[in-house]
């Protein structure tokens, strides 16, 4: 086996560190993160100050409060560890190309051949740790010849960097079995048998160990001692539809960005055309010298492999990219693809509705220029009040979640604001006899109703509305309503709310 | 014209109706209705309440039901007479028993076969089709219904302001005309006022498991489903006057009322053609002769005559026979039982063997049990062994059949917490906000929340959404949520129970219950028998069995020698761990002060250490009077008669009632109302109502106002909990029996108690230590000796259990304080040989070990015995266990699973094989590679593997592991391992405390057994700690607790400094300082263990 070099990083207080960074008020207070479990609140993580008082993850919040009555309890964010670790691993890419998340609280880096740039293993590891600590994280790390050994030493070892295999072996033998990444049940059994260091059992017959603890113990032993190879799952497998453009000189102008973008688009769309795919969503990333990454996303209404069209969409966003001191790497990834069903060229252009490519492209551009929401398509929404019974569609192809209602009469044209009208109507809830709108008097010939609709009381409280469908002397049909009920001598206001065809 | 609302959904149609039946009835009365129907969905659960409320308002309820069918439109059904009611009830029963609890599966055909004598209303769909037609499926169903049901079918017309009301009514009337099916107006009422719409929306959300924001069309679009005044209904249906007229037609046809239901006691309990009364008389006198011999004391004879006459007058004989039958069955199955509660006031019950309070010894107050003034059916509660009560329940079902016997329902109500959760969730609050809301509300249901506390929780009390949540929560509280089953209340009838009310499946297997709860059946005058469970009876029965087995004694509850001074002596020393009722710390603190000498003292002991007497400040006056520190005075002769036996201090409910009658001029029924208001804490306000009446009454009769106040305060103390005397006597009997067993047969008692766990206050460790103190040898769990249950080993097998192979670590049983009580042992011999049987711990003590594995293990062991395999090698004294396991694979071959064997290794149960737990675990772990198929029977590979040296375990490590696996250790007490260090710190042993003087400053340390903060003790915390000698009781006042809060809550091993308080035998340490010594324990298990911190 070729001698490798691995760094394991351990963040014992990953989440609480992040919370403390985000909320400076927590700096000097003990606090815990809590999750709800069957009605109980359990501690998901405790910060070092709370741990010092004997509060650990797994206890209940009630217990913690009993110990520190005023302890700050914050809601844990599910999936936070993974997110943080991914971000940290991504950040680590500047130290090595292969960084992997080691859930729930660590990272693993393949550092083979990396450290010479930093002047050796020790300064290299130190650089990583110092910079992470500077970012506010409690971190421990170790470098060793195997993943298993690095993992063990980071958590249980005395020494951070070990390059001598014999030395590494001796160190491992002194560590507890927990350093081998074993299941709780196995650790429990080892503990009961009094086998409290790796050295206690590593020399035992392999068959005797396998019989009692299964193959996993042996595998972990072998991995730690380097008898069996182990591979990392790098955080960022290079995207399947991703193009990279490294720049020899950092780019800091809009023109430079445009050129880079055009090149990337060309290569990518060419590839896509071969495979008959089109872009629905794409992402441009610009890696800046200072370590930040600028990102821009575009989305299309229908799959597109049309480089100029896609460029037009991105072009609108170029100025939003802040190059700062310069950009050293661009990547363009097609994050959402769809099969591009080739549209047959038609003999004559018919009405293609929403399928029409020019319409789709036009909409993309309008949306890109004026922002989304200036042209709307409406879908039915499940609410009784008419104003809330429709909602704007998110995109061109969104299908309604519920069918349009047909069991109640609804006007084709619904006014955004009901218009007050003057009405003559018998009390209490009979249809009106006539109404006056924009100076014209409408004699009502036919009417149906009332349909009584109440307010959504959890949003606002108010009078109900009695809606009537009416037809005037000209055969035109209207949707009218009276707000509230006739009670005593109070006159109620009437409104026009829509037109029927 | 008169309109009668025929379609009302109450909140007993769970999560649909938004008003209580009572609210609907009251509102209907306000609107001038004389009649109203209740039609919940497939249930009668709310009808009795509505009926009760209507009776008070001189209204009539038309009982009915909405039948939701699986294969057709719903129907409203109204029985016209009692037979029709029975059929409807039977119909619902059919549907209920087909489905899981809470559901009712009915089909059209069921309705057709039960439809005679009923009026039906067909419920049309909510909307017309887009073509303004009635749904075709509905029209077809309507035609079919009309065909099958005939002219008793109507069709409902409602105007719910859905926009197409006019068209719908037109279509319905067309249909009605075509099918000759009259139209009838209803308003599909869901709530009594339109304000409840919001709550109804919330209920919809809870039902549909969505939030109000996403509920959409599942909500009704308006608030029209409320009860409307007749005038308004007439206006809405002005075009269809017939529809209004038909409501009256239906109401007039339905003359049935719940008052017509007649409950009939079961009658088959008589023999030789006697009437129930004759049978009861015969059994009573037979019982009396059994108890008193041929010459029954004249007083008893008179009482029996009196009771029997009364029972005959009230026609209750069948009831007594029914209870007697249950008790007789239990006896025949050797199930211990005993009546409790007020029934113990009846001499007849005593003669029938239902209760055990001997009327020759106690003044029984039959009127407390039954009186014509209360006109209530009798209510006898009988306790059975908790592990075998199910047998009695199943006997009831078997004997009377499931169509005649069922358990009474309990209506689970929305309580504060549940209501906040439900409403909060429906209103879309986050889980976190709901939690905070829960924290900011008070404990009592009366005050929902407090602005200040809302703010403390970071909530804005002015937030409209939050206010709405709280408003709706208040409305929802008290709503019925589901029907549960009563703990053991049975209704048994002569005819079919289903003719009275529907039966449904309970959540538990093999249980069926009815829809009505205790209050409902009270209103209707049904009989109820409570079949309750009591753990101590299980323990006592098991003790009787052991006593028979090992000592040849035939013990029963009745033949235990009475008034034994040695028993009272033991009790007076508070040596009562495990004893019924008087084992709690509060009781133990009271015993040395009260020093019971007679049985009646035990009765007082049981009754006095209750929140009632404590809060009523009756304890100290009683003790002072008993000790002669205060004269026993009675302000009047009439009170001497009542309070004489308790030295002038009222301790029992009966006394409270009698004082009210005699001294304040209450009528018996008023006194009973007083008792009821005292018995339920909910009605605390009602007690205050009686204050004026009581005090004025007493003053008028010449008592001083001050004395009257004091009496009232004492009575008010019962507001929380007070015992009736008869109940205390019943319990005291069990107290005495369990004390006697503990006193004379501590081995039997401890074994039975351990086998009946969980019950009582103590953990197995304390029970075992206590047994050892009484001189019982306790032996560890072992694969070759133990069974699932704990056992007593035969005396002559001698020291079998102590076998330990030489290589093992062995700890001799801890030398515990020499038992001064062992002389009480009846068979103690002069040579000092242990008179008791050794107690062998059973596998049930091993954490995680399953009974099934124990069964296989024991079966395998017995099989070895039959095969004549050799006994244990090197076993000293080969007693009655000639064959035994000699290797671990044998156990595996017997079928014991590997995880189970690992548990046994953890429990150190392989000592008789010469293996300690660590070695055993090593061997057990290797069992995985059992040769199978063609290699079966050959030695496993592991048999040849080189032996491995495992690190030795220290004594302390063993003890720690013992605790982890079996929650106790017979090897040593953990504290003994740190004793040297404690000595250096001048820390006393708990056992030495009693030898010190009152007021001494001491240091003492031990494992924390219990921390309690009783609500009544104004922030005082009581802690019990235990070391290798004994236990110590600590008192921590509030300020000290706050100062040492963390130490107290985190310590496993707690050391305190404080002042001794010695009152007679009661020793307390008033804590001044606390220290956490738990790290010392951690050192016991070097280097890293997770067991002790």
């Amino acid at each position: 086996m070729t001698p490798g070099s691995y760094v394991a990083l351990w963040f014992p207080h990953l989440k609480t560190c992040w919370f403390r960074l985000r909320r400076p008020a927590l700096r000097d207070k003990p606090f815990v993160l809590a999750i709800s479990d069957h009605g109980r609140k359990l501690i998901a993580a405790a910060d070092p100050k709370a741990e010092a008082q004997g509060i650990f993850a797994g206890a209940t919040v009630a217990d913690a409060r009993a110990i520190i009555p005023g302890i700050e309890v914050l809601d844990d964010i599910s999936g936070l560890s993974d997110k943080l670790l991914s971000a940290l691993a991504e950040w680590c890419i500047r130290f090595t190309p292969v960084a992997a998340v080691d859930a729930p609280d660590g990272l693993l880096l393949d550092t083979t051949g990396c450290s010479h740039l930093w002047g050796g293993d020790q300064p290299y590891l130190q650089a990583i740790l110092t910079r992470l600590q500077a970012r506010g994280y409690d971190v421990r790390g170790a470098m060793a010849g195997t993943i298993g050994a690095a993992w063990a030493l980071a958590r249980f070892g005395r020494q951070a960097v070990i390059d001598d295999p014999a030395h590494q072996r001796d160190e491992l033998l002194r560590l507890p079995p927990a350093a081998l990444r074993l299941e709780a049940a196995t650790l429990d059994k080892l503990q009961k048998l009094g086998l409290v260091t790796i050295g206690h059992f590593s020399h035992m017959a392999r068959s005797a160990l396998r019989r009692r603890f299964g193959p996993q113990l042996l595998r972990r032993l072998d991995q730690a001692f380097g008898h069996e190879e182990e591979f990392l799952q790098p955080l960022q497998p290079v995207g399947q539809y991703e193009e990279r453009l490294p720049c020899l000189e950092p780019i800091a102008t809009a023109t430079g960005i445009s050129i880079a973008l055009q090149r990337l688009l060309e290569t990518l769309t060419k590839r896509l055309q071969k495979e008959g795919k089109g872009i629905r969503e794409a992402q441009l990333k610009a890696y800046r010298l200072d370590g930040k990454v600028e990102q821009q996303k575009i989305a299309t209404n229908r799959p597109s492999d049309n480089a100029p069209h896609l460029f037009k969409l991105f072009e609108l966003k170029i100025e939003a990219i802040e190059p700062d001191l310069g950009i050293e790497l661009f990547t363009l990834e097609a994050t959402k693809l769809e099969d591009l069903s080739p549209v047959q060229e038609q003999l004559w252009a018919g009405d293609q509705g929403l399928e029409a490519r020019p319409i789709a492209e036009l909409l993309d551009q309008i949306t890109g220029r004026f922002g989304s929401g200036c042209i709307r398509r409406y879908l039915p929404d499940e609410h009784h009040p008419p104003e809330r019974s429709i909602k704007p569609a998110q995109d061109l192809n969104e299908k309604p979640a519920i069918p349009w209602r047909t069991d109640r009469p609804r006007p084709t044209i619904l006014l955004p604001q009901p218009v007050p009208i003057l009405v003559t109507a018998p009390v209490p809830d009979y249809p009106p006899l006539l109404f006056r709108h924009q100076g014209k008097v409408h004699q009502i010939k036919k009417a149906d109703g009332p349909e009584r609709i109440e307010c959504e009381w959890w949003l606002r409280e108010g009078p109900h509305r009695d809606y009537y469908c009416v037809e005037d002397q000209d055969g035109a049909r209207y949707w009218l309503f009276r707000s509230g009920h006739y009670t005593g001598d109070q006159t109620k206001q009437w409104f026009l709310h829509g037109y029927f065809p | 014209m008169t309109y009668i609302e025929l379609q009302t959904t109450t909140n007993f149609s769970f999560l649909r109706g938004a008003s209580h039946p009572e609210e609907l009835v009251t509102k209907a009365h306000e609107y001038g209705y004389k009649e109203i129907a209740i039609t919940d969905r497939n249930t009668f659960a709310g009808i009795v309440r509505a009926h009760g409320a209507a009776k008070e308002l001189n209204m009539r309820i038309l009982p009915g039901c909405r039948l939701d069918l699986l294969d057709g439109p719903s129907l409203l059904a109204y029985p016209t007479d009692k037979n029709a009611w029975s059929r409807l009830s039977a119909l619902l029963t059919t549907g209920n028993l087909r489905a899981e609890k809470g559901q009712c599966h009915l089909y059209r055909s069921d309705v057709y076969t039960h439809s005679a004598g009923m009026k039906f209303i067909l419920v049309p769909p909510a909307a017309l089709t887009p073509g303004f037609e009635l749904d075709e499926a509905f029209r077809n169903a309507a035609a079919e219904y009309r065909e099958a049901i005939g002219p008793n079918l109507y069709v409902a017309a409602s105007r719910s302001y859905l926009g197409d009301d006019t068209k719908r009514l037109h279509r319905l009337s067309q249909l009605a005309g075509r099918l000759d099916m009259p139209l009838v107006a209803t308003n599909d009422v869901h709530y009594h006022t339109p304000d409840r719409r919001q709550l109804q929306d919330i209920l919809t959300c809870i039902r549909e498991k969505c939030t109000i924001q996403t509920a959409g069309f599942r909500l009704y679009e308006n608030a029209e489903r409320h009860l409307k005044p007749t005038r308004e209904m007439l206006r809405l249906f002005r075009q269809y006057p017939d529809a209004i007229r038909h409501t009256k037609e239906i109401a007039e046809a339905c003359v049935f009322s719940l008052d017509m239901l007649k409950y009939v006691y079961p009658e088959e309990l008589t023999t030789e053609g006697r009437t129930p009364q004759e049978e009861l008389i015969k059994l009573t006198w037979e019982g009396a002769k059994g108890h008193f011999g041929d010459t029954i004391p004249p007083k008893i004879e008179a009482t029996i005559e009196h009771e029997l006459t009364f029972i005959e007058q009230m026609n209750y004989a069948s009831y007594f026979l029914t209870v007697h039958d249950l008790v007789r069955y239990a006896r025949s199955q050797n199930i211990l039982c005993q009546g409790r509660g007020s029934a113990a006031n009846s001499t007849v019950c005593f003669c029938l063997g239902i209760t055990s309070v001997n009327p020759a010894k106690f003044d029984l107050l039959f009127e407390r049990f039954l009186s014509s003034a209360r006109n209530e059916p009798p209510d006898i509660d009988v306790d059975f062994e908790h592990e075998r009560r199910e047998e009695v329940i199943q006997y009831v079902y078997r004997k009377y059949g499931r169509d005649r016997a069922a358990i009474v329902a309990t209506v689970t109500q929305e309580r504060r917490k549940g209501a906040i959760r439900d409403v909060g969730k429906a209103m879309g609050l986050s889980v976190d906000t709901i939690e905070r809301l829960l924290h900011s509300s008070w404990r009592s249901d009366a005050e929902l929340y407090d602005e200040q506390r809302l703010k403390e929780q970071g909530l804005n009390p002015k937030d409209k959404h939050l206010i709405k949540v709280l408003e709706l929560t208040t409305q929802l509280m008290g709503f019925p949520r589901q029907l549960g089953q009563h703990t053991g209340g049975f209704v048994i009838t002569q005819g079919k129970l289903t003719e009275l009310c529907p039966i449904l499946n309970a959540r538990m297997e093999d249980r069926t219950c009815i829809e009505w709860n205790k209050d409902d059946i009270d209103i209707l005058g049904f009989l109820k028998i409570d079949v309750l469970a009591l753990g101590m009876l299980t323990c006592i029965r098991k003790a009787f069995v052991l006593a028979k087995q090992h000592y040849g004694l035939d013990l029963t509850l009745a033949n235990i020698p009475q008034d034994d001074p040695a028993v009272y002596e033991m009790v007076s020393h508070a040596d009562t761990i495990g004893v019924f009722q008087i084992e709690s710390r509060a009781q133990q603190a009271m015993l040395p002060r009260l020093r019971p000498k007679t049985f009646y003292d035990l009765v007082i002991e049981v009754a006095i250490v209750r929140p009632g007497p404590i809060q009523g400040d009756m304890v100290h006056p009683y003790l002072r009077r008993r000790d002669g520190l205060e004269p026993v005075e009675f302000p009047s002769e009439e009170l001497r008669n009542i309070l004489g036996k308790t030295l002038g201090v009222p301790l029992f409910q009966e006394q409270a009632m009698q004082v009210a009658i005699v001294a304040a001029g209450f009528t018996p029924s008023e006194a009973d109302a007083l008792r009821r208001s005292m018995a339920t804490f909910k009605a605390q306000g009602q007690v205050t109502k009686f204050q004026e009446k009581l005090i004025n009454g007493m003053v008028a009769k010449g008592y001083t106002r001050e004395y009257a106040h004091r009496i009232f305060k004492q009575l008010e103390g019962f507001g929380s909990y007070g015992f009736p005397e008869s109940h205390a006597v019943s319990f005291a009997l069990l107290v005495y029996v369990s004390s006697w067993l503990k006193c004379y047969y501590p081995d039997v008692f401890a074994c039975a108690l351990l086998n009946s766990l969980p019950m009582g206050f103590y953990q197995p460790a304390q029970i075992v230590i206590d047994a050892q103190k009484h001189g019982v040898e306790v032996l560890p769990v072992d694969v070759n000796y133990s069974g699932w249950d704990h056992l007593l080993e035969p005396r002559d097998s001698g020291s079998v259990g102590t076998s330990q192979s030489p290589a093992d670590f062995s700890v001799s049983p801890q030398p515990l304080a020499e038992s001064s009580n062992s002389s009480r042992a009846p068979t103690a011999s002069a040579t000092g040989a242990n008179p008791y049987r050794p107690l062998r711990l059973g596998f049930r003590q091993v954490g995680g070990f399953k009974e099934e594995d124990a069964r296989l293990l024991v079966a395998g062991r017995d099989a070895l015995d039959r095969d004549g395999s050799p006994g244990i090698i090197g076993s000293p004294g080969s007693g009655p266990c000639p064959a035994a396991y000699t290797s671990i694979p044998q156990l595996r071959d017997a079928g014991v699973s590997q995880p189970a064997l690992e548990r046994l290794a953890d429990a150190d149960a392989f000592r008789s094989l010469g293996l300690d737990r660590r070695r055993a675990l090593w061997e057990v772990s290797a069992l995985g590679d059992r040769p199978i198929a063609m290699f079966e029977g050959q030695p496993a590979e592991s048999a040849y593997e080189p032996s491995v040296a495992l690190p030795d375990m220290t004594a302390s490590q063993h003890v720690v592991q013992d605790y982890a696996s079996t929650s106790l250790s017979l090897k040593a007490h953990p504290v003994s391992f740190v004793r040297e260090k404690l000595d250096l710190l001048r820390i006393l042993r708990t056992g030495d405390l009693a030898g010190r003087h009152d007021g001494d400053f001491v240091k003492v340390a031990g494992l924390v057994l219990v921390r309690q903060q009783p609500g009544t003790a104004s922030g005082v915390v009581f802690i019990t700690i235990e070391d290798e000698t004994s236990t110590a009781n600590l008192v921590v006042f509030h300020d000290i607790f706050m100062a040492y809060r963390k130490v107290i809550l985190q310590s496993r091993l707690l050391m305190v400094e404080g002042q001794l308080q010695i009152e007679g035998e009661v020793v307390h340490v008033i804590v001044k300082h606390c220290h956490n010594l738990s790290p010392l324990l951690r050192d016991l298990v070097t280097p890293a263990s997770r067991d002790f911190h």
Side-chain angles (χ1 to χ4, degrees), chain A residues 127-190:
Chain A
I128 297 176
L129 295 177
T130 313
R131 290 189 64 180
L132 282 169
Q133 277 154 1
R135 295 188 59 174
Y137 286 99
D138 287 354
V139 60
R140 289 187 50 158
M143 191 175 197
T146 65
I147 293 171
W151 194 93
L153 291 166
R155 284 160 177 80
F156 297 92
R158 297 177 302 183
Q159 209 175 340
V161 175
I162 291 186
D163 41 14
D164 169 16
H167 187 189
Q168 175 177 314
R169 189 185 158 77
D170 292 346
E171 276 296 310
L172 283 175
L173 293 181
R174 296 183 338 95
L175 300 183
L180 287 177
R181 296 177 284 173
L182 297 171
E183 286 170 16
T186 311
L187 292 176
D188 196 44
K189 203 185 272 187
L190 287 166

Side-chain angles (χ1 to χ4, degrees), chain B residues 742-802:
Chain B
K742 181 179 168 72
C743 182
Y744 286 103
Y745 296 96
D747 50 347
V748 167
F749 183 67
C751 187
L753 186 59
L754 286 169
N755 282 334
S756 309
L757 292 181
M759 58 175 273
F761 281 77
Y762 294 97
Q763 297 299 313
Q766 276 92 56
I767 296 169
V768 164
I769 289 174
D770 186 59
Q772 288 173 329
K773 277 189 194 169
H774 284 86
V776 179
E777 188 188 358
V778 184
L779 304 172
V781 182
D782 192 290
V783 288
N784 275 322
Y785 301 107
S786 293
W788 170 250
D789 282 327
H790 309 284
L791 304 168
L792 292 182
E793 292 195 348
R795 188 72 251 162
D796 51 4
S797 71
S799 51
V800 174
T802 54

Side-chain angles (χ1 to χ4, degrees), chain B residues 298-310:
Chain B
K299 191 183 133 209
I300 303 284
E301 209 172 300
T303 319
I304 294 178
E305 289 293 355
H306 166 70
E307 290 186 18
L308 286 173
T309 316
F310 183 84

Side-chain angles (χ1 to χ4, degrees), chain B residues 943-1009:
Chain B
Y944 303 114
E945 73 185 15
S947 76
V948 168
L950 296 171
D952 280 338
M953 279 179 93
T954 63
S956 57
Q957 282 175 331
H958 268 298
V959 168
V960 170
Q961 288 259 1
D962 279 346
Y963 268 82
S965 165
T966 60
S967 73
L968 58 89
S969 177
L970 300 173
K971 301 187 177 95
H973 193 277
V975 174
S976 65
F977 295 105
V978 297
R979 179 52 66 193
E980 258 176 57
K981 288 177 190 164
L982 298 182
D983 283 343
L984 290 176
L985 295 167
R986 297 172 191 283
I987 293 168
L988 295 178
R989 288 167 174 78
T990 55
D992 296 340
L993 291 180
R996 296 275 162 159
H997 302 288
D998 188 33
D1000 281 1
F1001 272 92
V1002 295
K1003 289 202 265 187
V1004 65
L1007 299 184
V1008 176
L1009 293 184

